Amino acid sequence: RPTQKVMTKATQKYEGVTILAGLLVTLFVTGSLGFMENIEWCYPNMCPPENIHLAIVDSQSMAVSYLTVYKPYSTLLHYGLQADQLDQVAYGTSSSYEGSNYDNAVMFNHDIVISGLNPNTQYFYQIGNATEGTSGTFSF
């Protein structure tokens, strides 16, 4: 003989919250909510700088521009004469805007000018820091 479950108001409320929470977790994990599908979550070291561009300023200076998504990074890069010894730091400025990517998330444009470079010399650089995330190591 089947047993009948007695539903009090407290039980109904609790089960309703559990069901709703379960549905939200399921929808979030499966990505089936349209506004959640393209979001990239940025955790330290997992959301690196994007769209890195170089521009020659003069014979001893190089401009570096890049974007970050969702959170403001410190606008800095490490550089040096060897890829494994980036012992100098250059700082710059940043500005925010609402992007057309990533569900119109706030994006940050960064600009840095490295000055005092030696002409005809290869330099290596890496954008960011260990706390907020870094780019790969590149050269110019």
Side-chain angles (χ1 to χ4, degrees):
R1 170 175 175 184
T3 58
Q4 183 178 6
K5 188 173 186 179
V6 176
M7 299 287 285
T8 65
K9 286 187 178 185
T11 306
Q12 291 171 346
K13 184 176 181 180
Y14 172 78
E15 286 190 357
V17 170
T18 302
I19 291 169
L20 178 59
L23 287 173
L24 289 175
V25 168
T26 301
L27 291 173
F28 179 77
V29 171
T30 62
S32 61
L33 293 175
F35 67 91
M36 301 289 279
E37 290 175 0
N38 296 319
I39 290 180
E40 289 187 11
W41 299 102
C42 295
Y43 297 104
N45 296 316
M46 296 181 72
C47 194
E50 302 177 0
N51 299 338
I52 300 168
H53 296 281
L54 300 176
I56 297 171
V57 176
D58 59 38
S59 64
Q60 296 181 324
S61 302
M62 181 70 73
V64 181
S65 299
Y66 60 96
L67 298 176
T68 56
V69 182
Y70 288 119
K71 67 176 185 172
Y73 275 57
S74 301
T75 304
L76 65 92
L77 63 78
H78 297 269
Y79 68 101
L81 298 174
Q82 298 175 20
D84 61 350
Q85 190 174 357
L86 306 175
D87 54 0
Q88 299 180 65
V89 180
Y91 296 92
T93 60
S94 66
S95 58
S96 63
Y97 65 95
E98 189 170 310
S100 59
N101 296 334
Y102 305 104
D103 290 337
N104 293 323
V106 174
M107 301 178 80
F108 297 86
N109 186 52
H110 303 263
D111 297 297
I112 301 170
V113 175
I114 308 169
S115 300
L117 301 173
N118 294 320
N120 302 314
T121 304
Q122 182 176 24
Y123 286 88
F124 295 88
Y125 69 98
Q126 183 179 62
I127 296 168
N129 60 53
T131 304
E132 298 171 314
T134 60
S135 68
T137 301
F138 305 107
S139 69
F140 59 85

